[in-house]
Amino acid sequence: MNPTTPETQVAAEGTTRMSRDTLSITDNRTGKAYEIPIKNDTIHATDLRQIKVKPDEFGMMSYDPAFNNTALCQSKITFIDGDKGILRYRGYSIEELAEKSTYLETAYLILHGELPNRSQLEEWTYHITHHTFIHESVKKFLDGFHYDAHPMGMMISAIAALSTFYPEAKDIFNKDSRRKQTYRLIGKMPTLAAFSYRHSLGMPFAYPDNELSYAGNFLNMLFKTSELKYRPNPTLEHALDVLFILHADHEQNCSANAMRCVGSSHVDPFSATAAATAALYGPLHGGANEEVLRMLLEIGSLANVPAFIKRVKAGETKLMGFGHRVYKNYDPRARIIKHVADGVFEIMGRNPLLNIALECERIALEDDYFVSRKLYPNVDFYTGLIYQSMGFPVTMFPVLFAIPRTSGWIAQWEEMLLDPEQKIARPRQVYLGYDLRPYAPLDQRS
Ligand code: CMC
């Protein structure tokens, strides 16, 4: 049974249990038997510490490189069933949110646990909208980057720099302060992103327009030129908003883990968000959308797809945008994104790389290499095609992931801070290095 399903929790809380909720372990080194409590289909790792051969030993640990089977926390934010391809924020299905909600409403839901009523949504939107401007000094700071600086590098630095502008953000156990930093982070991320983009083009920065929606204002700051008022195309604005909803949170992924881990040292949320953004930048995580596009360009034509797949199967390269630690089925976000793509392509024209992507997917879904490893398209497989059609350069793709993920990061951070079971994150290791040995003077070393 999946350890995190709500169904499991119901079973664990049920009253008609046939057996005890414990795990019996016999240590064959000593013949001793132990009974370890089971809660929510998990055991507490520290319960293993009582298992030892000699009383002065440290005790048993579990070894789990890359957290393949370790729950780091209890969470009420996002639920994923990777076998069934299910994703829910606070109990609401991603399909329903993508169809009916907006990014800002979804961000409220993720952070507060409930959908807002009308006045709550108005207040929330007002505060986010009125925190979109950045200090003029941040602009100067961004201007210092080289013209071809990767926007993710600029973002990571600029987010970290915000902590120097708002030193009161260190007051992390003050609810009002946390709320203020939340408005600032969600409000300013699109501005930093758009300014990074304009800097790379050598274009003047376009200031936020508070009359536009969150996604519409972002498009304004990116693409406004000499017009007095920028009016975003409603289809593209909506498509971007849906993409933001799909990327808002994804439970304990690499960047959420970075946010929790760095935040557990009680650093301010800007510094923790910079760390999470850095984690997202990697090509195995949020940087994958950029890599997908580079891969499709490298494949170049339909005729080259079989040869590329052959190289993937030989272990020479990866099919980027495929595979997931948790999803062993079609990523539900990828399914929604295919629909969003249709709407964008209708306006902007069909992306010529789409046929190559579809052919990669067709072959992979029939090929035993991918089928036996349960490798399906993930969220990043089709987003790059949409972003490219909307006019974004590839280097902006991971930035488009980071903007909406900010709400998820803050929710994960706040949940971690308020969880009495959490402490500074500090894993153990299995030390396999040298035992104590004497220091050799320089002239005696071979
Ligand atoms: N292409 C080819 N083979 C793959 C791929 C791929 N994209 N992904 C996994 N495999 C193989 C892998 O080589 C391994 O084979 P074997 O059992 O023969 O050694 C097997 O499938 C299991 O893979 P794994 O690396 O143990 O799986 P993981 O859970 O550690 O890695 C992953 C998950 C997402 C890092 C990986 O699938 C990958 O590198 N995918 C490409 C990058 C990508 O698209 N990342 C975006 C993830 S979704 C968005 C996000 O959350 O950031």
Side-chain angles (χ1 to χ4, degrees):
M1 194 186 279
N2 184 327
T4 54
T5 63
E7 290 77 10
T8 313
Q9 283 172 16
V10 171
E13 287 157 12
T15 50
T16 53
R17 279 253 174 209
M18 298 297 289
S19 55
R20 281 172 299 164
D21 287 331
T22 60
L23 179 73
S24 297
I25 299 179
T26 304
D27 184 347
N28 292 322
R29 298 171 302 173
T30 58
K32 277 196 202 156
Y34 302 84
E35 196 158 310
I36 305 218
I38 299 174
K39 197 175 164 200
N40 298 326
D41 283 353
T42 57
I43 60 163
H44 212 295
T46 50
D47 283 339
L48 297 174
R49 289 273 290 280
Q50 56 185 304
I51 304 176
K52 42 178 96 169
V53 176
K54 293 187 202 130
D56 60 344
E57 275 179 3
F58 181 77
M60 185 159 287
M61 297 185 292
S62 59
Y63 174 57
D64 188 10
F67 304 122
N68 266 297
N69 196 38
T70 294
L72 157 92
C73 60
Q74 302 186 33
S75 183
K76 294 184 174 170
I77 304 170
T78 292
F79 170 73
I80 301 175
D81 184 327
D83 292 329
K84 296 194 185 126
I86 293 175
L87 169 62
R88 296 177 199 148
Y89 301 150
R90 303 281 187 184
Y92 294 98
S93 80
I94 193 66
E95 290 79 10
E96 205 174 1
L97 289 170
E99 190 193 330
K100 299 176 183 166
S101 187
T102 61
Y103 172 67
L104 280 191
E105 184 184 69
T106 298
Y108 183 100
L109 168 72
I110 287 174
L111 278 146
H112 296 81
E114 298 295 338
L115 285 167
N117 63 28
R118 193 173 296 279
S119 70
Q120 286 167 330
L121 182 60
E122 275 168 14
E123 195 193 337
W124 171 248
T125 306
Y126 175 88
H127 284 303
I128 303 283
T129 309
H130 287 81
H131 283 89
T132 48
F133 277 73
I134 55 174
H135 196 287
E136 287 292 295
S137 295
V138 181
K139 266 175 48 186
K140 288 188 212 145
F141 175 83
L142 290 174
D143 266 333
F145 280 96
H146 206 247
Y147 73 94
D148 60 354
H150 195 291
M152 275 301 263
M154 295 176 73
M155 288 289 286
I156 294 163
S157 316
I159 298 163
L162 287 184
S163 74
T164 67
F165 289 86
Y166 308 111
E168 72 276 16
K170 285 183 170 53
D171 196 5
I172 54 171
F173 288 106
N174 177 329
K175 192 177 177 197
D176 293 337
S177 171
R178 284 202 306 276
R179 200 45 70 231
K180 188 79 172 267
Q181 314 323 322
T182 301
Y183 297 146
R184 284 175 172 152
L185 270 163
I186 298 179
K188 292 179 201 318
M189 284 292 276
T191 315
L192 294 176
F195 283 20
S196 302
Y197 168 70
R198 307 273 294 205
H199 174 76
S200 68
L201 297 180
M203 285 181 75
F205 300 130
Y207 281 87
D209 181 342
N210 288 353
E211 286 178 3
L212 296 174
S213 73
Y214 189 76
N217 171 49
F218 181 46
L219 291 169
N220 157 66
M221 292 188 289
L222 288 163
F223 300 128
K224 184 172 194 262
T225 50
S226 57
E227 63 273 48
L228 281 179
K229 176 97 182 159
Y230 178 85
R231 297 196 192 283
N233 178 302
T235 307
L236 300 186
E237 182 183 3
H238 176 67
L240 196 57
D241 200 59
V242 173
L243 289 166
F244 281 177
I245 293 173
L246 301 182
H247 286 87
D249 192 52
H250 213 231
E251 52 119 303
Q252 305 314 312
N253 53 82
C254 180
S255 57
N257 184 44
M259 184 82 188
R260 279 180 176 260
C261 178
V262 174
S264 77
S265 74
H266 292 179
V267 74
D268 68 88
F270 297 102
S271 301
T273 304
T277 311
L280 187 78
Y281 187 11
L284 298 188
H285 191 9
N289 52 18
E290 187 178 343
E291 295 305 318
V292 170
L293 210 94
R294 294 191 196 284
M295 175 189 79
L296 295 175
L297 287 167
E298 183 197 325
I299 296 173
S301 75
L302 277 182
N304 295 336
V305 173
F308 183 81
I309 297 285
K310 209 170 157 190
R311 282 181 55 214
V312 172
K313 288 164 64 177
E316 291 169 26
T317 185
K318 275 188 170 178
L319 184 56
M320 297 308 285
F322 259 69
H324 200 275
R325 172 64 60 78
V326 181
Y327 291 119
K328 301 301 168 198
N329 199 326
Y330 214 99
D331 182 334
R333 300 169 299 174
R335 222 184 280 282
I336 300 168
I337 283 166
K338 269 178 123 175
H339 289 298
V340 175
D342 291 339
V344 172
F345 295 159
E346 230 168 75
I347 293 183
M348 307 304 286
R350 190 177 157 94
N351 190 320
L353 296 174
L354 178 66
N355 286 345
I356 300 176
L358 289 170
E359 183 62 359
C360 287
E361 181 185 327
R362 189 191 65 75
I363 296 181
L365 293 183
E366 288 173 0
D367 190 297
D368 187 56
Y369 175 93
F370 298 91
V371 173
S372 63
R373 289 170 177 78
K374 297 188 177 171
L375 300 172
Y376 292 88
N378 60 48
V379 70
D380 291 317
F381 195 63
Y382 287 104
T383 45
L385 294 173
I386 304 180
Y387 296 149
Q388 195 192 40
S389 294
M390 287 173 91
F392 291 105
V394 279
T395 52
M396 278 298 283
F397 295 180
V399 173
L400 293 160
F401 196 148
I403 294 170
R405 184 53 61 86
T406 305
S407 56
W409 288 331
I410 303 169
Q412 298 285 344
W413 167 73
E414 200 164 32
E415 192 177 64
M416 179 273 304
L417 278 185
L418 302 181
D419 180 347
E421 288 197 1
Q422 291 293 339
K423 293 179 175 192
I424 186 165
R426 205 316 185 170
R428 299 279 175 178
Q429 64 169 6
V430 179
Y431 178 71
L432 298 177
Y434 285 108
D435 207 345
L436 180 65
R437 50 185 184 150
Y439 176 84
L442 189 54
D443 56 5
Q444 288 174 22
R445 294 176 212 158
S446 56

